[in-house]
Amino acid sequence: MTLLAVERIKLFTTRSPWWCTLIALVLTIGFGALMAGTSEENIAPLTIAATQFGYTFGLVVVMVMAALAITTEYRFSTIRATFLAVPNRPTALIAKATVVAVLAAIVGEIAAFGSWGIARLMKPNVDLAINTAYEWRAVAGVGLVYGISAVVAVAVGVLLRHSAGAIAVLLIWNQLVEPLVQLIPKVGDDIHKWLPFNVANKLITGNPDPSTRDVLQGPPPSDAVLGPWPALAAFAGFAVVLFGIALVVANRRDA
Amino acid sequence: MIEATGLTKHYGRTVAVDNLSFTVGEGRVTGFLGPNGAGKSTTMRMILGLDSPTSGDVRIDGQHYRDLHQPLRTVGALLDAKWVHPNRSARAHLRWLAAATKLPRSRIDQVLDLVGLGAVANKNAGGFSLGMSQRLGIAAALLGDPRVLLFDEPVNGLDPEGILWIRKFMHQLADEGRTVFVSSHLLSEMAQTAQDLVVIGRGKLIYQGTVDEFIANATESTVLVRSPTLEKLGEHLLAAGAGISDDGDALRVSGMDSAAIGELAATRQIVLHELSPQVGSLEQAFIHLTGDTVEYRTEEPALGTTEEGPTA
């Protein structure tokens, strides 16, 4: 608990997490409003999935926030001050990842319910009640994916130690590599089904109810083979393994 | 007490610290002296568990740093005053350190007042001058009221007032019975700050002992003698076993103090015009001892042989 308090103080006594939180919320909720505002009953009806269209943009910002939380420590050598105060490096880094993941999850939930809420306000006549398991996953699942993605970002930050490098790797991987892998002939689609962010996306977009979702509305559904919850477990497992590697490396490396 | 035994650190093929053994005692200021690049900072990082030694061992009061429970209560260190987030206030910087060590918040204000930063505690550390950053670093080191204190080049870049303040402060800390280990590449600074010395060059131990002994051993004292019958005096001095060197119209005598030279002159009825002991400077002593171990040596410029000489 002590270490969680330490990391909480560190995170909230600098400005970047506040800015990243604000940008993530404005982006996602803004896209929710955009989807609601441009929807038309017959051509592009507003659905719960459609209100979550902006979640990947918020995800990118949240990962930048998480990566910065650790890489700025390396940049300003406060990581050394941290390891002097807490020589058990794995516990110090686990505390950091936990605090960052919790913040990311909260941002995700506010972003998701905010996007859904603003759509309801703008289109009170459209039925946007959250009834089915799919609808709950599509909204509440965003926070879970953000939280786990934050752990991935912290792990990459620990391994690379440079803000620019870590952010570049995360963005290129999330925004370019995963979508573009599908273009590889023959094997591309099979690889894509198992890439971590696509797997995570399965929780939010996977197994839609035929009655509530037209495939063309909202974020494109994930083609991951796992079911939505096993997919989330797989994504969490991936994050844990990557973070475990980062802990081993940080523990062995000269600080 | 800090105890290093056979401490060695390799970075690739470079040997930064080479089989270094020394002890730093309690209640004294121990200077850690060596030219730039001698391995002082690396040694300090190994003491603090930031870098792992390639071989050898270093313990603080019998324990490895990384095994200490709430180490800031035992060891305070200032390795680099810039180890702060520039957009975090001085108070917030100390707040998370205090939280990690379960110290009461009142302790933060105590140390801030102690180093004279109370008035700027809520300002961002990025805007601090070097002197203020050093004070903040010292405040952080003192936070847990530790028995052992390590400072790496604490007076670097400070104005005279700041240097004086740090010097006094270290004596005060040592007088309170703490172990104070402070590195510097300036012997004159160490001579005024430290009682004991650990001197290294190229990662190897050169000397360990008191400052006075170091200066006495390292500076070869000579006596300058002037006399109308210099040649005759020289012969007698040589016969008495002293070493002499010609210094223009005077003789530089080594291996014999001024009293002995005066008595010798009196018994031989030689008139002396000058008899003055010459004490070598600290810098000479330092260079004398570490001369072979400086990593980045400058070549003596060969004046007058360059092709781009004055053409006018």
Side-chain angles (χ1 to χ4, degrees), chain A residues 2 6 10 13 15 76-78 80 82 84-85 87 89 251 254-255, chain B residues 9 48-52 65-66 71 83 85-88 96 99-100 102:
Chain A
T2 313
V6 170
K10 275 203 269 185
T13 49
R15 266 172 296 170
F76 300 118
S77 288
T78 49
R80 294 188 175 130
T82 303
L84 286 184
R89 298 179 189 180
N251 204 34
D254 287 339
Chain B
K9 180 71 182 178
L48 296 168
L50 289 175
D51 288 10
S52 317
Y65 188 90
R66 286 179 81 168
W83 286 4
H85 193 296
N87 291 332
R88 194 178 279 137
W96 72 259
K102 289 191 176 154

PDB file of all heavy atoms in Angstrom, chain A residues 2 6 10 13 15 76-78 80 82 84-85 87 89 251 254-255, chain B residues 9 48-52 65-66 71 83 85-88 96 99-100 102:
ATOM      1  N   THR A   2       1.969   1.182   0.781  1.00  0.00           N
ATOM      2  CA  THR A   2       2.883   2.322   0.826  1.00  0.00           C
ATOM      3  C   THR A   2       3.369   2.680  -0.568  1.00  0.00           C
ATOM      4  O   THR A   2       3.354   3.838  -0.963  1.00  0.00           O
ATOM      5  CB  THR A   2       4.114   1.948   1.682  1.00  0.00           C
ATOM      6  OG1 THR A   2       3.646   1.350   2.878  1.00  0.00           O
ATOM      7  CG2 THR A   2       4.939   3.161   2.001  1.00  0.00           C
ATOM      8  N   VAL A   6       3.147   5.990  -2.957  1.00  0.00           N
ATOM      9  CA  VAL A   6       4.318   6.649  -3.540  1.00  0.00           C
ATOM     10  C   VAL A   6       4.091   6.914  -5.023  1.00  0.00           C
ATOM     11  O   VAL A   6       4.281   8.031  -5.518  1.00  0.00           O
ATOM     12  CB  VAL A   6       5.588   5.769  -3.357  1.00  0.00           C
ATOM     13  CG1 VAL A   6       6.741   6.315  -4.172  1.00  0.00           C
ATOM     14  CG2 VAL A   6       5.962   5.682  -1.890  1.00  0.00           C
ATOM     15  N   LYS A  10       3.703  10.391  -7.159  1.00  0.00           N
ATOM     16  CA  LYS A  10       4.576  10.705  -8.293  1.00  0.00           C
ATOM     17  C   LYS A  10       3.768  11.002  -9.545  1.00  0.00           C
ATOM     18  O   LYS A  10       4.064  11.942 -10.282  1.00  0.00           O
ATOM     19  CB  LYS A  10       5.524   9.516  -8.565  1.00  0.00           C
ATOM     20  CG  LYS A  10       6.759   9.547  -7.714  1.00  0.00           C
ATOM     21  CD  LYS A  10       7.872   8.750  -8.351  1.00  0.00           C
ATOM     22  CE  LYS A  10       7.838   7.335  -7.877  1.00  0.00           C
ATOM     23  NZ  LYS A  10       8.976   6.543  -8.391  1.00  0.00           N
ATOM     24  N   THR A  13       1.708  14.471  -9.294  1.00  0.00           N
ATOM     25  CA  THR A  13       2.395  15.730  -9.036  1.00  0.00           C
ATOM     26  C   THR A  13       3.125  16.229 -10.276  1.00  0.00           C
ATOM     27  O   THR A  13       3.901  17.168 -10.199  1.00  0.00           O
ATOM     28  CB  THR A  13       3.389  15.604  -7.854  1.00  0.00           C
ATOM     29  OG1 THR A  13       4.197  14.445  -8.054  1.00  0.00           O
ATOM     30  CG2 THR A  13       2.663  15.494  -6.540  1.00  0.00           C
ATOM     31  N   ARG A  15       2.331  17.106 -14.645  1.00  0.00           N
ATOM     32  CA  ARG A  15       1.151  17.506 -15.402  1.00  0.00           C
ATOM     33  C   ARG A  15       0.727  16.520 -16.479  1.00  0.00           C
ATOM     34  O   ARG A  15      -0.433  16.460 -16.831  1.00  0.00           O
ATOM     35  CB  ARG A  15       1.391  18.881 -16.026  1.00  0.00           C
ATOM     36  CG  ARG A  15       0.868  20.003 -15.143  1.00  0.00           C
ATOM     37  CD  ARG A  15       1.286  21.337 -15.676  1.00  0.00           C
ATOM     38  NE  ARG A  15       2.740  21.457 -15.637  1.00  0.00           N
ATOM     39  CZ  ARG A  15       3.418  22.434 -16.203  1.00  0.00           C
ATOM     40  NH1 ARG A  15       2.789  23.367 -16.857  1.00  0.00           N
ATOM     41  NH2 ARG A  15       4.733  22.494 -16.112  1.00  0.00           N
ATOM     42  N   PHE A  76      14.710  11.617 -16.233  1.00  0.00           N
ATOM     43  CA  PHE A  76      15.152  12.534 -15.178  1.00  0.00           C
ATOM     44  C   PHE A  76      15.830  11.789 -14.031  1.00  0.00           C
ATOM     45  O   PHE A  76      16.056  12.368 -12.970  1.00  0.00           O
ATOM     46  CB  PHE A  76      13.976  13.357 -14.669  1.00  0.00           C
ATOM     47  CG  PHE A  76      13.342  14.192 -15.746  1.00  0.00           C
ATOM     48  CD1 PHE A  76      12.026  13.999 -16.110  1.00  0.00           C
ATOM     49  CD2 PHE A  76      14.086  15.159 -16.401  1.00  0.00           C
ATOM     50  CE1 PHE A  76      11.451  14.758 -17.123  1.00  0.00           C
ATOM     51  CE2 PHE A  76      13.518  15.921 -17.406  1.00  0.00           C
ATOM     52  CZ  PHE A  76      12.194  15.719 -17.770  1.00  0.00           C
ATOM     53  N   SER A  77      16.101  10.507 -14.235  1.00  0.00           N
ATOM     54  CA  SER A  77      16.805   9.686 -13.241  1.00  0.00           C
ATOM     55  C   SER A  77      16.070   9.578 -11.906  1.00  0.00           C
ATOM     56  O   SER A  77      16.662   9.177 -10.921  1.00  0.00           O
ATOM     57  CB  SER A  77      18.221  10.212 -12.986  1.00  0.00           C
ATOM     58  OG  SER A  77      19.030   9.927 -14.096  1.00  0.00           O
ATOM     59  N   THR A  78      14.786   9.947 -11.881  1.00  0.00           N
ATOM     60  CA  THR A  78      14.052   9.734 -10.626  1.00  0.00           C
ATOM     61  C   THR A  78      13.862   8.242 -10.378  1.00  0.00           C
ATOM     62  O   THR A  78      13.578   7.840  -9.254  1.00  0.00           O
ATOM     63  CB  THR A  78      12.689  10.433 -10.640  1.00  0.00           C
ATOM     64  OG1 THR A  78      12.017  10.111 -11.853  1.00  0.00           O
ATOM     65  CG2 THR A  78      12.847  11.939 -10.530  1.00  0.00           C
ATOM     66  N   ARG A  80      16.244   6.234 -10.378  1.00  0.00           N
ATOM     67  CA  ARG A  80      17.352   5.896  -9.465  1.00  0.00           C
ATOM     68  C   ARG A  80      16.994   6.294  -8.046  1.00  0.00           C
ATOM     69  O   ARG A  80      17.231   5.542  -7.102  1.00  0.00           O
ATOM     70  CB  ARG A  80      18.626   6.604  -9.899  1.00  0.00           C
ATOM     71  CG  ARG A  80      19.126   6.096 -11.235  1.00  0.00           C
ATOM     72  CD  ARG A  80      20.486   6.685 -11.549  1.00  0.00           C
ATOM     73  NE  ARG A  80      21.017   6.108 -12.765  1.00  0.00           N
ATOM     74  CZ  ARG A  80      21.494   6.823 -13.776  1.00  0.00           C
ATOM     75  NH1 ARG A  80      21.518   8.142 -13.694  1.00  0.00           N
ATOM     76  NH2 ARG A  80      21.955   6.227 -14.842  1.00  0.00           N
ATOM     77  N   THR A  82      14.075   6.406  -6.949  1.00  0.00           N
ATOM     78  CA  THR A  82      13.069   5.414  -6.540  1.00  0.00           C
ATOM     79  C   THR A  82      13.736   4.138  -6.055  1.00  0.00           C
ATOM     80  O   THR A  82      13.381   3.601  -5.006  1.00  0.00           O
ATOM     81  CB  THR A  82      12.133   5.091  -7.719  1.00  0.00           C
ATOM     82  OG1 THR A  82      11.541   6.302  -8.180  1.00  0.00           O
ATOM     83  CG2 THR A  82      11.044   4.121  -7.311  1.00  0.00           C
ATOM     84  N   LEU A  84      16.665   3.839  -4.898  1.00  0.00           N
ATOM     85  CA  LEU A  84      17.370   4.088  -3.632  1.00  0.00           C
ATOM     86  C   LEU A  84      16.387   3.983  -2.464  1.00  0.00           C
ATOM     87  O   LEU A  84      16.715   3.455  -1.412  1.00  0.00           O
ATOM     88  CB  LEU A  84      18.024   5.468  -3.637  1.00  0.00           C
ATOM     89  CG  LEU A  84      19.275   5.642  -4.491  1.00  0.00           C
ATOM     90  CD1 LEU A  84      19.836   7.037  -4.309  1.00  0.00           C
ATOM     91  CD2 LEU A  84      20.324   4.601  -4.132  1.00  0.00           C
ATOM     92  N   ALA A  85      15.173   4.515  -2.673  1.00  0.00           N
ATOM     93  CA  ALA A  85      14.171   4.481  -1.609  1.00  0.00           C
ATOM     94  C   ALA A  85      13.563   3.086  -1.486  1.00  0.00           C
ATOM     95  O   ALA A  85      13.218   2.648  -0.390  1.00  0.00           O
ATOM     96  CB  ALA A  85      13.085   5.512  -1.871  1.00  0.00           C
ATOM     97  N   PRO A  87      14.737  -0.458  -2.787  1.00  0.00           N
ATOM     98  CA  PRO A  87      15.712  -1.251  -3.542  1.00  0.00           C
ATOM     99  C   PRO A  87      15.110  -2.497  -4.188  1.00  0.00           C
ATOM    100  O   PRO A  87      15.701  -3.037  -5.108  1.00  0.00           O
ATOM    101  CB  PRO A  87      16.752  -1.639  -2.490  1.00  0.00           C
ATOM    102  CG  PRO A  87      16.461  -0.833  -1.296  1.00  0.00           C
ATOM    103  CD  PRO A  87      15.046  -0.401  -1.360  1.00  0.00           C
ATOM    104  N   ARG A  89      13.347  -3.633  -6.718  1.00  0.00           N
ATOM    105  CA  ARG A  89      12.873  -2.998  -7.948  1.00  0.00           C
ATOM    106  C   ARG A  89      11.564  -3.589  -8.466  1.00  0.00           C
ATOM    107  O   ARG A  89      10.687  -2.832  -8.882  1.00  0.00           O
ATOM    108  CB  ARG A  89      13.962  -3.081  -9.019  1.00  0.00           C
ATOM    109  CG  ARG A  89      15.211  -2.335  -8.606  1.00  0.00           C
ATOM    110  CD  ARG A  89      16.286  -2.446  -9.660  1.00  0.00           C
ATOM    111  NE  ARG A  89      17.542  -1.904  -9.157  1.00  0.00           N
ATOM    112  CZ  ARG A  89      18.660  -1.876  -9.860  1.00  0.00           C
ATOM    113  NH1 ARG A  89      18.665  -2.339 -11.095  1.00  0.00           N
ATOM    114  NH2 ARG A  89      19.760  -1.373  -9.342  1.00  0.00           N
ATOM    115  N   ASN A 251      15.636  -5.546 -13.050  1.00  0.00           N
ATOM    116  CA  ASN A 251      16.277  -6.014 -11.828  1.00  0.00           C
ATOM    117  C   ASN A 251      17.754  -6.325 -12.052  1.00  0.00           C
ATOM    118  O   ASN A 251      18.573  -6.169 -11.152  1.00  0.00           O
ATOM    119  CB  ASN A 251      15.539  -7.247 -11.310  1.00  0.00           C
ATOM    120  CG  ASN A 251      15.738  -7.434  -9.825  1.00  0.00           C
ATOM    121  OD1 ASN A 251      15.838  -6.452  -9.086  1.00  0.00           O
ATOM    122  ND2 ASN A 251      15.813  -8.665  -9.385  1.00  0.00           N
ATOM    123  N   ASP A 254      22.006  -2.286 -14.609  1.00  0.00           N
ATOM    124  CA  ASP A 254      22.463  -1.196 -13.761  1.00  0.00           C
ATOM    125  C   ASP A 254      21.487  -0.035 -13.922  1.00  0.00           C
ATOM    126  O   ASP A 254      21.130   0.332 -15.035  1.00  0.00           O
ATOM    127  CB  ASP A 254      23.866  -0.739 -14.174  1.00  0.00           C
ATOM    128  CG  ASP A 254      24.927  -1.747 -13.763  1.00  0.00           C
ATOM    129  OD1 ASP A 254      24.657  -2.554 -12.856  1.00  0.00           O
ATOM    130  OD2 ASP A 254      26.008  -1.736 -14.356  1.00  0.00           O
ATOM    131  N   ALA A 255      21.049   0.517 -12.784  1.00  0.00           N
ATOM    132  CA  ALA A 255      20.055   1.596 -12.860  1.00  0.00           C
ATOM    133  C   ALA A 255      20.733   2.903 -13.229  1.00  0.00           C
ATOM    134  O   ALA A 255      21.888   3.106 -12.957  1.00  0.00           O
ATOM    135  CB  ALA A 255      19.340   1.755 -11.543  1.00  0.00           C
TER     136      ALA A 255
ATOM    137  N   LYS B   9      34.382  -3.379 -11.195  1.00  0.00           N
ATOM    138  CA  LYS B   9      33.299  -3.160 -12.143  1.00  0.00           C
ATOM    139  C   LYS B   9      33.846  -3.030 -13.550  1.00  0.00           C
ATOM    140  O   LYS B   9      34.696  -2.178 -13.804  1.00  0.00           O
ATOM    141  CB  LYS B   9      32.515  -1.894 -11.778  1.00  0.00           C
ATOM    142  CG  LYS B   9      31.368  -1.576 -12.717  1.00  0.00           C
ATOM    143  CD  LYS B   9      30.227  -2.556 -12.537  1.00  0.00           C
ATOM    144  CE  LYS B   9      29.095  -2.292 -13.502  1.00  0.00           C
ATOM    145  NZ  LYS B   9      28.015  -3.274 -13.349  1.00  0.00           N
ATOM    146  N   LEU B  48      25.456   1.905  -3.325  1.00  0.00           N
ATOM    147  CA  LEU B  48      24.019   2.133  -3.173  1.00  0.00           C
ATOM    148  C   LEU B  48      23.158   1.109  -3.906  1.00  0.00           C
ATOM    149  O   LEU B  48      21.941   1.273  -4.010  1.00  0.00           O
ATOM    150  CB  LEU B  48      23.673   3.532  -3.687  1.00  0.00           C
ATOM    151  CG  LEU B  48      24.315   4.665  -2.874  1.00  0.00           C
ATOM    152  CD1 LEU B  48      24.185   5.982  -3.589  1.00  0.00           C
ATOM    153  CD2 LEU B  48      23.692   4.745  -1.481  1.00  0.00           C
ATOM    154  N   GLY B  49      23.796   0.073  -4.444  1.00  0.00           N
ATOM    155  CA  GLY B  49      23.017  -0.992  -5.070  1.00  0.00           C
ATOM    156  C   GLY B  49      22.403  -0.611  -6.406  1.00  0.00           C
ATOM    157  O   GLY B  49      21.536  -1.321  -6.906  1.00  0.00           O
ATOM    158  N   LEU B  50      22.813   0.520  -6.979  1.00  0.00           N
ATOM    159  CA  LEU B  50      22.266   0.887  -8.291  1.00  0.00           C
ATOM    160  C   LEU B  50      22.963   0.086  -9.385  1.00  0.00           C
ATOM    161  O   LEU B  50      22.325  -0.390 -10.309  1.00  0.00           O
ATOM    162  CB  LEU B  50      22.443   2.391  -8.541  1.00  0.00           C
ATOM    163  CG  LEU B  50      21.565   3.317  -7.701  1.00  0.00           C
ATOM    164  CD1 LEU B  50      21.930   4.766  -7.958  1.00  0.00           C
ATOM    165  CD2 LEU B  50      20.094   3.089  -7.995  1.00  0.00           C
ATOM    166  N   ASP B  51      24.272  -0.048  -9.283  1.00  0.00           N
ATOM    167  CA  ASP B  51      25.037  -0.881 -10.206  1.00  0.00           C
ATOM    168  C   ASP B  51      25.486  -2.128  -9.444  1.00  0.00           C
ATOM    169  O   ASP B  51      25.811  -2.046  -8.264  1.00  0.00           O
ATOM    170  CB  ASP B  51      26.278  -0.133 -10.724  1.00  0.00           C
ATOM    171  CG  ASP B  51      25.900   0.976 -11.698  1.00  0.00           C
ATOM    172  OD1 ASP B  51      24.693   1.273 -11.800  1.00  0.00           O
ATOM    173  OD2 ASP B  51      26.797   1.538 -12.333  1.00  0.00           O
ATOM    174  N   SER B  52      25.519  -3.252 -10.147  1.00  0.00           N
ATOM    175  CA  SER B  52      26.011  -4.468  -9.508  1.00  0.00           C
ATOM    176  C   SER B  52      27.491  -4.618  -9.805  1.00  0.00           C
ATOM    177  O   SER B  52      27.911  -4.453 -10.945  1.00  0.00           O
ATOM    178  CB  SER B  52      25.275  -5.686 -10.064  1.00  0.00           C
ATOM    179  OG  SER B  52      23.906  -5.415 -10.164  1.00  0.00           O
ATOM    180  N   TYR B  65      23.219  -2.860   0.412  1.00  0.00           N
ATOM    181  CA  TYR B  65      22.205  -1.797   0.340  1.00  0.00           C
ATOM    182  C   TYR B  65      20.839  -2.367  -0.014  1.00  0.00           C
ATOM    183  O   TYR B  65      19.831  -1.993   0.575  1.00  0.00           O
ATOM    184  CB  TYR B  65      22.599  -0.734  -0.688  1.00  0.00           C
ATOM    185  CG  TYR B  65      21.684   0.466  -0.671  1.00  0.00           C
ATOM    186  CD1 TYR B  65      21.954   1.558   0.143  1.00  0.00           C
ATOM    187  CD2 TYR B  65      20.522   0.495  -1.441  1.00  0.00           C
ATOM    188  CE1 TYR B  65      21.107   2.649   0.180  1.00  0.00           C
ATOM    189  CE2 TYR B  65      19.659   1.576  -1.400  1.00  0.00           C
ATOM    190  CZ  TYR B  65      19.962   2.659  -0.593  1.00  0.00           C
ATOM    191  OH  TYR B  65      19.114   3.723  -0.549  1.00  0.00           O
ATOM    192  N   ARG B  66      20.830  -3.298  -0.975  1.00  0.00           N
ATOM    193  CA  ARG B  66      19.536  -3.780  -1.462  1.00  0.00           C
ATOM    194  C   ARG B  66      18.818  -4.664  -0.448  1.00  0.00           C
ATOM    195  O   ARG B  66      17.660  -5.012  -0.640  1.00  0.00           O
ATOM    196  CB  ARG B  66      19.695  -4.486  -2.814  1.00  0.00           C
ATOM    197  CG  ARG B  66      19.931  -3.472  -3.930  1.00  0.00           C
ATOM    198  CD  ARG B  66      20.123  -4.116  -5.277  1.00  0.00           C
ATOM    199  NE  ARG B  66      18.852  -4.471  -5.902  1.00  0.00           N
ATOM    200  CZ  ARG B  66      18.741  -4.837  -7.169  1.00  0.00           C
ATOM    201  NH1 ARG B  66      19.794  -4.873  -7.937  1.00  0.00           N
ATOM    202  NH2 ARG B  66      17.563  -5.161  -7.667  1.00  0.00           N
ATOM    203  N   PRO B  71      15.710   1.841   3.272  1.00  0.00           N
ATOM    204  CA  PRO B  71      17.120   2.254   3.286  1.00  0.00           C
ATOM    205  C   PRO B  71      17.339   3.743   3.535  1.00  0.00           C
ATOM    206  O   PRO B  71      18.392   4.114   4.049  1.00  0.00           O
ATOM    207  CB  PRO B  71      17.627   1.851   1.902  1.00  0.00           C
ATOM    208  CG  PRO B  71      16.422   1.556   1.102  1.00  0.00           C
ATOM    209  CD  PRO B  71      15.344   1.154   2.022  1.00  0.00           C
ATOM    210  N   TRP B  83      18.589  14.783 -10.238  1.00  0.00           N
ATOM    211  CA  TRP B  83      17.711  13.617 -10.232  1.00  0.00           C
ATOM    212  C   TRP B  83      16.334  13.978  -9.681  1.00  0.00           C
ATOM    213  O   TRP B  83      15.858  13.398  -8.727  1.00  0.00           O
ATOM    214  CB  TRP B  83      18.312  12.482  -9.417  1.00  0.00           C
ATOM    215  CG  TRP B  83      19.455  11.795 -10.091  1.00  0.00           C
ATOM    216  CD1 TRP B  83      20.025  12.131 -11.291  1.00  0.00           C
ATOM    217  CD2 TRP B  83      20.185  10.665  -9.626  1.00  0.00           C
ATOM    218  NE1 TRP B  83      21.050  11.278 -11.576  1.00  0.00           N
ATOM    219  CE2 TRP B  83      21.176  10.367 -10.578  1.00  0.00           C
ATOM    220  CE3 TRP B  83      20.089   9.867  -8.478  1.00  0.00           C
ATOM    221  CZ2 TRP B  83      22.068   9.311 -10.421  1.00  0.00           C
ATOM    222  CZ3 TRP B  83      20.975   8.822  -8.321  1.00  0.00           C
ATOM    223  CH2 TRP B  83      21.952   8.541  -9.288  1.00  0.00           C
ATOM    224  N   HIS B  85      12.250  15.439 -11.079  1.00  0.00           N
ATOM    225  CA  HIS B  85      11.408  15.762 -12.230  1.00  0.00           C
ATOM    226  C   HIS B  85      11.258  17.281 -12.266  1.00  0.00           C
ATOM    227  O   HIS B  85      10.843  17.886 -11.282  1.00  0.00           O
ATOM    228  CB  HIS B  85      10.049  15.085 -12.092  1.00  0.00           C
ATOM    229  CG  HIS B  85       9.256  15.110 -13.365  1.00  0.00           C
ATOM    230  ND1 HIS B  85       8.819  16.286 -13.929  1.00  0.00           N
ATOM    231  CD2 HIS B  85       8.855  14.119 -14.187  1.00  0.00           C
ATOM    232  CE1 HIS B  85       8.169  15.993 -15.042  1.00  0.00           C
ATOM    233  NE2 HIS B  85       8.172  14.687 -15.224  1.00  0.00           N
ATOM    234  N   PRO B  86      11.593  17.919 -13.420  1.00  0.00           N
ATOM    235  CA  PRO B  86      11.594  19.384 -13.441  1.00  0.00           C
ATOM    236  C   PRO B  86      10.219  20.007 -13.199  1.00  0.00           C
ATOM    237  O   PRO B  86      10.139  21.145 -12.748  1.00  0.00           O
ATOM    238  CB  PRO B  86      12.099  19.720 -14.852  1.00  0.00           C
ATOM    239  CG  PRO B  86      11.945  18.477 -15.637  1.00  0.00           C
ATOM    240  CD  PRO B  86      12.039  17.336 -14.681  1.00  0.00           C
ATOM    241  N   ASN B  87       9.156  19.270 -13.484  1.00  0.00           N
ATOM    242  CA  ASN B  87       7.823  19.850 -13.283  1.00  0.00           C
ATOM    243  C   ASN B  87       7.188  19.447 -11.967  1.00  0.00           C
ATOM    244  O   ASN B  87       6.001  19.643 -11.765  1.00  0.00           O
ATOM    245  CB  ASN B  87       6.891  19.453 -14.435  1.00  0.00           C
ATOM    246  CG  ASN B  87       7.305  20.114 -15.734  1.00  0.00           C
ATOM    247  OD1 ASN B  87       7.893  21.193 -15.717  1.00  0.00           O
ATOM    248  ND2 ASN B  87       7.036  19.468 -16.845  1.00  0.00           N
ATOM    249  N   ARG B  88       7.994  18.877 -11.087  1.00  0.00           N
ATOM    250  CA  ARG B  88       7.455  18.506  -9.778  1.00  0.00           C
ATOM    251  C   ARG B  88       8.035  19.470  -8.750  1.00  0.00           C
ATOM    252  O   ARG B  88       9.207  19.825  -8.824  1.00  0.00           O
ATOM    253  CB  ARG B  88       7.850  17.067  -9.463  1.00  0.00           C
ATOM    254  CG  ARG B  88       7.092  16.452  -8.323  1.00  0.00           C
ATOM    255  CD  ARG B  88       7.510  15.012  -8.092  1.00  0.00           C
ATOM    256  NE  ARG B  88       6.852  14.094  -9.006  1.00  0.00           N
ATOM    257  CZ  ARG B  88       7.470  13.088  -9.620  1.00  0.00           C
ATOM    258  NH1 ARG B  88       8.745  12.871  -9.435  1.00  0.00           N
ATOM    259  NH2 ARG B  88       6.810  12.289 -10.419  1.00  0.00           N
ATOM    260  N   TRP B  96       7.029  12.167  -1.987  1.00  0.00           N
ATOM    261  CA  TRP B  96       6.986  10.745  -2.359  1.00  0.00           C
ATOM    262  C   TRP B  96       8.127   9.976  -1.726  1.00  0.00           C
ATOM    263  O   TRP B  96       7.982   8.801  -1.380  1.00  0.00           O
ATOM    264  CB  TRP B  96       6.887  10.538  -3.868  1.00  0.00           C
ATOM    265  CG  TRP B  96       8.100  10.826  -4.718  1.00  0.00           C
ATOM    266  CD1 TRP B  96       8.323  11.936  -5.460  1.00  0.00           C
ATOM    267  CD2 TRP B  96       9.225   9.976  -4.958  1.00  0.00           C
ATOM    268  NE1 TRP B  96       9.522  11.845  -6.122  1.00  0.00           N
ATOM    269  CE2 TRP B  96      10.088  10.650  -5.850  1.00  0.00           C
ATOM    270  CE3 TRP B  96       9.575   8.689  -4.508  1.00  0.00           C
ATOM    271  CZ2 TRP B  96      11.293  10.100  -6.286  1.00  0.00           C
ATOM    272  CZ3 TRP B  96      10.779   8.145  -4.957  1.00  0.00           C
ATOM    273  CH2 TRP B  96      11.616   8.856  -5.829  1.00  0.00           C
ATOM    274  N   ALA B  99       6.961   9.264   1.716  1.00  0.00           N
ATOM    275  CA  ALA B  99       5.931   8.222   1.716  1.00  0.00           C
ATOM    276  C   ALA B  99       6.568   6.841   1.580  1.00  0.00           C
ATOM    277  O   ALA B  99       6.151   5.886   2.236  1.00  0.00           O
ATOM    278  CB  ALA B  99       4.941   8.459   0.578  1.00  0.00           C
ATOM    279  N   ALA B 100       7.623   6.743   0.743  1.00  0.00           N
ATOM    280  CA  ALA B 100       8.282   5.453   0.538  1.00  0.00           C
ATOM    281  C   ALA B 100       8.961   4.962   1.803  1.00  0.00           C
ATOM    282  O   ALA B 100       9.226   3.777   1.958  1.00  0.00           O
ATOM    283  CB  ALA B 100       9.304   5.562  -0.591  1.00  0.00           C
ATOM    284  N   LYS B 102       7.821   5.922   4.901  1.00  0.00           N
ATOM    285  CA  LYS B 102       6.829   6.065   5.986  1.00  0.00           C
ATOM    286  C   LYS B 102       7.261   7.115   7.000  1.00  0.00           C
ATOM    287  O   LYS B 102       7.218   6.893   8.210  1.00  0.00           O
ATOM    288  CB  LYS B 102       6.583   4.727   6.680  1.00  0.00           C
ATOM    289  CG  LYS B 102       5.819   3.764   5.788  1.00  0.00           C
ATOM    290  CD  LYS B 102       5.347   2.563   6.578  1.00  0.00           C
ATOM    291  CE  LYS B 102       4.507   1.655   5.711  1.00  0.00           C
ATOM    292  NZ  LYS B 102       4.501   0.273   6.143  1.00  0.00           N
TER     293      LYS B 102
END
